[in-house]
Amino acid sequence: MFRPLPTHRAQLAATLVAFFAGALLGFTFLLTDAPWPVPTVAAALVTAAFVASRTERRRLRLVGLFVVFAAYALWTYELLAFGEALYWTIRWPVWALVVAFGFAAVLTHGPSWKRVEVPFVLPMGVVIAACLWGWRTEETRIRCEDWRAVAAQSEVKISIPTIDTPCIGDEAIPIARFPRHVSESPDGASYLFTTQMRNPTVSNAMPAPGRFSGSICTSPRNGSSPPTCTGVGTSQGMAESEPLDRFFVANWGPVREGGRRGGRIYAVARSHPLRVLAERELDILSGELFHDPIGDIVGVFNDDADFVYPFRASTLEPLEPMFAPIIPGDTHFDPVRREGVCCFAVGPIKTIDGHAFAAVAFATDPFRLRPLAPSNEAPWMWFGFSWGCDWDPANRRAYAAIASLGILHEIDYDSGSVLRTFYTGMGVRSVAYDRKRHRLYLGHYLTGKVGAVDLSTGKTIAEWFAGRFVRTVVLSRDARRLIATSNAGIVEIDLPD
């Protein structure tokens, strides 16, 4: 039914301002990669479409309705996705405002109402913006209530905490860094881990709140000595070299002289304490990496998603770059088969052979990429974003969690076809395969939950809270523990025999 806008000038202005404000809040997710003018222009265009949708000119009204409907579909998705994962960041005064706006929107959309309207996008936009602001804020601290919730679980232990002060009451303790990737030493007595810088108020020249003073750290599991750290910026991927008795670590470095950004690759001893054996400065922002011991190669993926940069593992001598339009969130490599899987999917933004995908299979002899669950077989992958996966090289199965769709695909590694699909909930960032128990462990990045999925039934059979922002879940070397990284630190979860 056609319904005109209010005719009174002040009421019309108030209605349009309310719609624009809600639309601007709903488009704040664009600020991840774009400056303020981008969401502002987007909100203005949708507001113009809102006006067009309420005119008497039929064609113009249809165009306006289409744009407004598409915008509401996007905002509804954001509301569900961010709301499910970040509801815990919103305080009660904001919820009270949302409820008030929601009631006002219902009351002012009656068929007989002809005065100022409160559009439904206003309460929706408040929730979306509050979730995103809460995400940014909570990454800079650890809530004591979360700390206690982790420690209260009988199977869970905070092995290496991010803080060294008592966490009591309802306070939140600031931190500059928390762990990202982690690996055990060969004897299982210590951890080597990378950290990410998330507190914008802390510079590299300042003492960092929390226990981690650098981007690469090592610490004994029993906490007998504090962590030893080195490196600036954020370090990400790690790859172990048993023949060379070292780990390779990729670093996403800070701004250098002249405004350039770059990274580093480190070779670090596998034993405790921390010893940097070699390093090389890079002109790229380096993320994930893999090590091929047979080819004596360390491959570093560029954060611009265009090339993988290989180095001679024994000397860190650079070799010729190879085309690779991906930025993996994780990589898993079988050094015997010389093949593996990259955890990465960004819908239509990066494609392989014209297809979106759920993950990427790769091999090193020669280097080549192949999409898994390509969009010609799984068209929903045009809307899929993923950074977490794992694989079983013996049974030729890959498992990719699609964070934006709340599903997980079991994929035939050789054909790339989807075999089964499980619902997991939004925001799974890390996946660990447990062959012994025939399980998958899923780390929900924003909520902090770690779930165990029985692959026989596809059902979640256990769940733990590991702190917020769970970046990585991996099995211990003896497969008796699950190791998770979060803003609480490095968390160990005992598994049944």
Side-chain angles (χ1 to χ4, degrees):
M1 181 179 67
F2 170 66
R3 183 183 178 199
L5 287 165
T7 56
H8 190 276
R9 184 173 298 179
Q11 294 176 355
L12 173 62
T15 299
L16 296 183
V17 167
F19 188 94
F20 175 81
L24 182 60
L25 293 172
F27 283 127
T28 50
F29 76 96
L30 295 171
L31 293 174
T32 303
D33 299 304
W36 266 109
V38 175
T40 303
V41 171
L45 291 174
V46 177
T47 303
F50 172 69
V51 173
S53 71
R54 305 287 285 272
T55 65
E56 295 182 356
R57 298 172 62 180
R58 185 174 182 274
R59 290 184 178 179
L60 186 59
R61 186 167 72 249
L62 290 176
V63 172
L65 285 170
F66 175 80
V67 174
V68 171
F69 177 82
Y72 265 104
L74 174 62
W75 295 325
T76 300
Y77 169 77
E78 290 183 68
L79 189 67
L80 295 174
F82 294 141
E84 177 185 339
L86 290 162
Y87 68 91
W88 57 274
T89 68
I90 302 178
R91 298 301 189 182
W92 72 263
V94 178
W95 285 121
L97 185 64
V98 170
V99 171
F101 283 153
F103 273 119
V106 172
L107 292 174
T108 61
H109 277 73
S112 61
W113 188 268
K114 300 184 183 302
R115 288 175 286 178
V116 176
E117 294 180 22
V118 176
F120 284 102
V121 67
L122 189 58
M124 295 172 71
V126 170
V127 173
I128 292 167
C131 285
L132 294 174
W133 178 257
W135 182 349
R136 179 179 178 180
T137 302
E138 295 295 338
E139 280 192 317
T140 68
R141 61 188 190 176
I142 172 71
R143 293 186 185 187
C144 288
E145 60 186 283
D146 290 339
W147 181 274
R148 292 192 295 272
V150 177
Q153 301 165 103
S154 59
E155 311 99 326
V156 181
K157 171 188 176 185
I158 304 176
S159 178
I160 302 176
T162 56
I163 56 175
D164 53 11
T165 57
C167 203
I168 57 177
D170 296 327
E171 64 180 323
I173 298 179
I175 55 175
R177 298 176 175 274
F178 55 88
R180 195 172 179 88
H181 280 298
V182 61
S183 186
E184 286 182 286
S185 61
D187 60 4
S190 63
Y191 288 124
L192 178 73
F193 54 99
T194 60
T195 72
Q196 58 189 46
M197 174 72 78
R198 276 294 182 264
N199 195 327
T201 65
V202 178
S203 72
N204 291 304
M206 295 172 60
R211 303 183 74 210
F212 310 136
S213 59
S215 61
I216 307 171
C217 300
T218 187
S219 178
R221 278 186 57 210
N222 60 11
S224 57
S225 62
T228 304
C229 302
T230 189
V232 295
T234 292
S235 288
Q236 167 123 330
M238 302 172 60
E240 184 177 9
S241 173
E242 187 173 345
L244 298 174
D245 194 28
R246 62 186 60 180
F247 285 99
F248 295 100
V249 182
N251 171 255
W252 200 95
V255 177
R256 301 173 182 167
E257 293 184 9
R260 295 184 304 111
R261 280 194 179 273
R264 282 182 172 84
I265 179 171
Y266 295 92
V268 181
R270 292 199 298 165
S271 58
H272 180 78
L274 181 65
R275 287 186 297 129
V276 176
L277 305 175
E279 65 180 280
R280 178 175 288 273
E281 190 171 280
L282 309 177
D283 290 329
I284 62 169
L285 293 174
S286 46
E288 284 295 320
L289 74 171
F290 65 88
H291 174 235
D292 177 3
I294 296 176
D296 191 31
I297 290 174
V298 174
V300 180
F301 289 93
N302 184 3
D303 204 45
D304 290 327
D306 49 15
F307 290 97
V308 59
Y309 289 80
F311 296 83
R312 190 69 62 199
S314 52
T315 63
L316 295 187
E317 172 192 356
L319 304 173
E320 192 67 24
M322 299 170 291
F323 180 66
I326 57 175
I327 315 172
D330 278 314
T331 58
H332 304 281
F333 185 74
D334 186 318
V336 176
R337 295 174 174 84
R338 302 184 72 183
E339 60 184 356
V341 61
C342 292
C343 311
F344 176 74
V346 286
I349 299 174
K350 289 290 182 178
T351 60
I352 296 177
D353 299 330
H355 299 298
F357 44 81
V360 179
F362 74 103
T364 60
D365 187 25
F367 182 80
R368 57 196 185 276
L369 302 174
R370 179 169 51 84
L372 299 176
S375 53
N376 60 328
E377 295 187 21
W380 51 89
M381 287 315 305
W382 287 111
F383 306 98
F385 289 74
S386 174
W387 298 270
C389 70
D390 204 350
W391 77 313
D392 179 3
N395 292 323
R396 316 300 289 174
R397 295 288 184 268
Y399 303 94
I402 315 305
S404 60
L405 301 178
I407 58 176
L408 182 138
H409 287 321
E410 180 179 353
I411 304 167
D412 184 279
Y413 183 82
D414 296 311
S415 69
S417 299
V418 176
L419 301 176
R420 289 191 297 171
T421 300
F422 309 125
Y423 177 73
T424 61
M426 299 289 188
V428 173
R429 184 71 184 262
S430 184
V431 179
Y433 172 67
D434 185 346
R435 180 182 301 171
K436 174 182 176 182
R437 300 171 183 85
H438 197 52
R439 290 182 180 180
L440 288 177
Y441 301 103
L442 309 179
H444 294 256
Y445 181 65
L446 297 173
T447 64
K449 295 179 181 178
V450 176
V453 175
D454 185 341
L455 282 171
S456 300
T457 63
K459 295 182 179 180
T460 299
I461 57 174
E463 197 169 69
W464 307 273
F465 178 60
R468 308 295 182 178
F469 308 109
V470 174
R471 179 56 184 82
T472 298
V473 290
V474 294
L475 281 171
S476 62
R477 291 182 184 269
D478 59 11
R480 298 176 64 182
R481 291 170 288 112
L482 189 66
I483 307 165
T485 63
S486 72
N487 67 348
I490 295 178
V491 176
E492 298 179 353
I493 302 171
D494 292 331
L495 299 174
D497 294 330

